[in-house]
Every structure is written in structure tokens, then in C-alpha cells.
Amino acid sequence: MAQVITVTSGKGGVGKTTSSAAFATGLAQRGKRTVVIDFDVGLRNLDLIMGVERRVVFDIINVITGEAKLNQALIKDKRVDGLYILPASQTRDKDALTHEGVGKIIEELAKDFDYILCDSPAGIERGALHALYHADQAIVVTNPEVSSVRDSDRILGVIQSRSKRAEEKREPVKQHLLLTRYDPVRVERGEMLKLEDVLEILAIPLLGVIPESESVLKASNSGNPVILDNESTAGQAYADAVARFLGEDRPQRFLEVEKKKGLFGRLFGGRAA
Amino acid sequence: MSWLDFFRAQKPPAASASQAKDRLQIILAHERVSRDGDDFLPKLQQELLEVVARYVKVDANKVQVNLERGQGMSTLEIGVELPGNGTAKRSAA
Ligand SMILES: Nc1ncnc2c1ncn2[C@@H]1O[C@H](COP(=O)(O)OP(=O)(O)O)[C@@H](O)[C@H]1O
Ligand SMILES: [Mg+2]
């Protein structure tokens, strides 16, 4: 049976799309048939981060209105087997998404995939609700920063009350914390909330900590999800998170300031790659 | 500006940024054109299907539409799986 995973946060710009792309790619790398859906109708960007923007013909709205079949709208990734992308519409607005239409798409995808990832738009309204309604699991993307933590708490409440599982009084949506853009240097200086603080406040299980990393920008420039960059700390941290999601035991890395740098590194080195 | 900034400024721009620029120029050129007009692809597909259906019975699910947007030119490939004698591919540019 397919699992629906919603990547959400409440707040915008915290790394949902970066994480959706990385996670979907990671699951497919591990042999799981995975489709990642962009729910940010009107502001699609997942296609750019996945590097498939030039190949978009149809989108989720075309499927809902019957203008295209689902399999025609799915874009097959050329790098990783078993990975597909369903783009959001660029030209229409959020109201074009219907409860029934989304339901049908998820139902049809569930027959063919192991994991259905939903990249949620920001906010706690229509678009975000569509993205989380069918969730079996939720990855709550949070930055170590006050407004992000508060918005994550709000979205956790929404998941608990507005998801299909909640409506049907089934076992609740399984929640995971993904703390991203973590900068150990600033944490050590006391400028940034530390992992323990965020965990204490949100009190949901930790899936992983993704360090602030320059390679994320490089990845989006080239349209290759950062998890494909084995050298980068962020890529490795996402690979760890995927492994943990699949039940493996992996210690947290990249939580401490790198101590090994010599004088030269300290003078000239920027942030970790 | 410190003397360190002087050395930093000498660095050539990262290759990935120029990749980003190229990708954006191509995709935005296409998006700006289609922003005003209605998206014609769904209609094109429908009409192509109607033409094909005049000759053979086709299942809409067995039609694949692939597009590759490029600079100055795009390729649209429509694959129609014909019943009976295997698969036929038709391409249109
Ligand atoms: N670990 C990270 N290190 C550095 N920059 C990051 C990281 N994660 C995300 N970003 C940057 O943050 C910005 C917002 O990310 P995005 O994934 O689009 O967020 P959202 O989908 O939540 O709006 C982007 O510019 C992205 O490159
Ligand atoms: Mg996003």
C-alpha cells in the first residue's frame, strides 16, 4: 500500500521544496517507486529544483479538469529509476484544485507507487490543506528560528485536526521533524536555536538535521536535487534522513562546528560546502 | 571593504550560476509567451487524437506527449500506441 508523505511547514522559504526534491530522489535511489507532487499551484518551482522545467507539458490541474491523463502529466526523471514528478500549474490559481480531483489523483497514484510525496505551499489555507489532507506521514520542515518554529507548531495542529485520518478518526498522521538550514557556528555563538531547544518545544520525533550549506544553491542552479551531491554535507544529511525514514539507525552528523580547520582555513574558509 | 574582500572579488563567477541563468532564460522565454495566450497543448493533443481516432481506435491512456523546450526551438513528440500491430511513434516538431 502506498504511503502519502506531506512535506509542510506553515512558513515559506524554509526548505520544503528543497527537501521534497531531495527526499523523493533519495527514496527512489533506495529502490522505492516514488512520485513527488507540486501543490504550489500558481507558483510552481519543484520543476526547476528537479531540473525538469523544460519538459513540462501538462500539470495537476490539466489532470483534474480531464484535459490530460495522469500518466501523460507525470514526468519521468532521467537520473534515477522509479522517480516521477507531477508539476503544479503555473497559469491557474489555487481554486482550480478540488478536493475530489486531488483525491482521485492520489488514489490512482497509490496503485502504482510506494511513496507519494506532496510538496506543500506555504500557509495554512486551501493549497496547504489539499497537500496535507491525504497524508499518512508528515515531514515538518523547520528552521531554527522563532517564526518558523511557531508556524510549525500551528501546522502540526492543522494536521491533527484537518487531515483525512483525523476526520475518519483513524490512527493519526505520523509526524517527523526535519530541522533545516542548521548552522552550528551560529548555534555555538548562541545566535541560533539549538536542536535540543526546537525538539523540546515541538516535541515530535526527529528525522534529521540538514546543515546550512552552499551546495544547496549550487544544486538549485543546476537543477540537480542536492542529495545527488555526495560530497556536500546537506546531501549526506538528506541521505541519512531517508535511511532513517526507511528504518535504519544513523547517528546525527553535522551538529558540531568543524574543529579541524587550521589557521589558514579559519582565515580564508567560508562556510562548509 | 577589507583587503580580504579584494581577494574574494578576484574569484571567477561560479559555473553553476551561469547554468542557472541559461536555464532561466530558456524557461522564462517560453512562459512569457504562453502567459498571455491560452495554453494550446491540451487542445492540440485532443485534436491530434481525434484525427488518429478517425483511422484507428485509440486509448487516450496510451498516448504519450513529450516536450523538450530549447533555445529558439522546442520538440514535441507524440507517441501513440496503436492496437494490433504493435507500437507506432509519430513525431511532430
Ligand atoms: N540547507 C540549506 N542550506 C542553504 N540554503 C538552503 C537550505 N535549504 C534551503 N535553502 C534555501 O532556502 C530557500 C528556500 O528554500 P525552498 O526549498 O524553496 O523553501 P520552501 O519550499 O519552503 O519555500 C532557497 O533559496 C534554498 O536554496
Ligand atoms: Mg516551495
Side-chain angles (χ1 to χ4, degrees), chain A residues 31-59:
Chain A
K32 309 291 178 191
R33 277 185 66 81
T34 304
V35 55
V36 56
I37 310 177
D38 189 348
F39 273 88
D40 209 342
V41 172
L43 287 174
R44 87 163 163 238
N45 269 328
L46 181 68
D47 58 335
L48 273 176
I49 303 304
M50 293 293 301
V52 300
E53 74 280 358
R54 290 194 225 170
R55 294 167 56 208
V56 175
V57 185
F58 300 118
D59 57 57

Side-chain angles (χ1 to χ4, degrees), chain A residues 7-9 11-20 40 45 49 119-122 141 143 179-182 210-218 220 226 233-234 238 271:
Chain A
V7 179
T8 188
S9 70
K11 191 172 158 59
V14 296
K16 289 180 294 297
T17 300
T18 304
S19 300
S20 299
D40 209 342
N45 269 328
I49 303 304
D119 179 18
S120 175
V141 179
N143 292 166
L179 190 59
T180 65
R181 309 202 68 167
Y182 196 75
I210 312 298
E212 174 79 18
S213 159
E214 288 175 4
S215 52
V216 173
L217 180 58
K218 272 190 227 155
S220 70
V226 71
T233 53
Y238 275 118
R271 274 179 256 151

Side-chain angles (χ1 to χ4, degrees), chain A residues 7 31 35 99 103 106 110 124 148-149 168-169 187 195 201 265:
Chain A
V7 179
V35 55
H99 208 63
I106 301 272
I124 52 170
S148 172
V149 174
E168 294 174 352
K169 302 203 163 36
V187 170
L195 169 64
I201 296 167

Side-chain angles (χ1 to χ4, degrees), chain A residues 97-110:
Chain A
L97 280 180
T98 62
H99 208 63
E100 205 196 354
V102 174
K104 265 199 204 145
I105 288 176
I106 301 272
E107 199 178 300
E108 208 175 323
L109 289 173

Side-chain angles (χ1 to χ4, degrees), chain A residues 133-193:
Chain A
Y133 185 71
H134 292 91
D136 297 304
Q137 311 202 36
I139 296 177
V140 177
V141 179
T142 307
N143 292 166
E145 177 261 324
V146 284
S147 57
S148 172
V149 174
R150 180 216 255 169
D151 289 357
S152 293
D153 195 59
R154 289 193 68 188
I155 204 76
L156 286 169
V158 175
I159 293 166
Q160 282 159 16
S161 58
R162 306 286 298 273
S163 61
K164 191 167 181 230
R165 280 179 173 266
E167 275 182 8
E168 294 174 352
K169 302 203 163 36
R170 281 190 290 150
E171 194 188 319
V173 176
K174 193 168 170 195
Q175 298 165 331
H176 309 268
L177 175 67
L178 191 64
L179 190 59
T180 65
R181 309 202 68 167
Y182 196 75
D183 187 342
V185 174
R186 305 194 66 188
V187 170
E188 193 168 80
R189 280 199 224 125
E191 295 172 2
M192 190 178 257
L193 286 169

Side-chain angles (χ1 to χ4, degrees), chain B residues 23-55:
Chain B
R23 291 175 63 216
L24 281 169
Q25 276 174 333
I26 292 173
I27 197 66
L28 291 184
H30 285 278
E31 284 181 3
R32 283 174 187 148
V33 172
S34 62
R35 201 173 290 163
D36 316 312
D38 239 0
D39 193 3
F40 65 88
L41 277 172
K43 226 173 142 218
L44 173 64
Q45 173 184 257
Q46 221 167 15
E47 287 176 18
L48 280 169
L49 264 181
E50 281 163 18
V51 174
V52 176
R54 258 187 248 150
Y55 298 91

Side-chain angles (χ1 to χ4, degrees), chain A residues 44 47-48 51 53-58 62 67-69 71-72 78 90 218 220-223 267-268, chain B residues 4 8 16-17 19-20 23-24 26-27 31 39 41-42 45 60-61 63-70:
Chain A
R44 87 163 163 238
D47 58 335
L48 273 176
E53 74 280 358
R54 290 194 225 170
R55 294 167 56 208
V56 175
V57 185
F58 300 118
N62 292 135
E67 290 161 314
K69 297 282 174 196
N71 68 345
Q72 293 164 349
K78 288 180 177 171
Q90 180 76 300
K218 272 190 227 155
S220 70
N221 278 343
S222 62
L267 268 180
F268 294 97
Chain B
L4 271 179
R8 291 211 178 98
S16 77
Q19 255 178 299
R23 291 175 63 216
L24 281 169
I26 292 173
I27 197 66
E31 284 181 3
D39 193 3
L41 277 172
Q45 173 184 257
N61 263 312
V63 179
Q64 274 304 330
V65 182
N66 296 310
L67 177 72
E68 185 81 46
R69 294 188 177 86

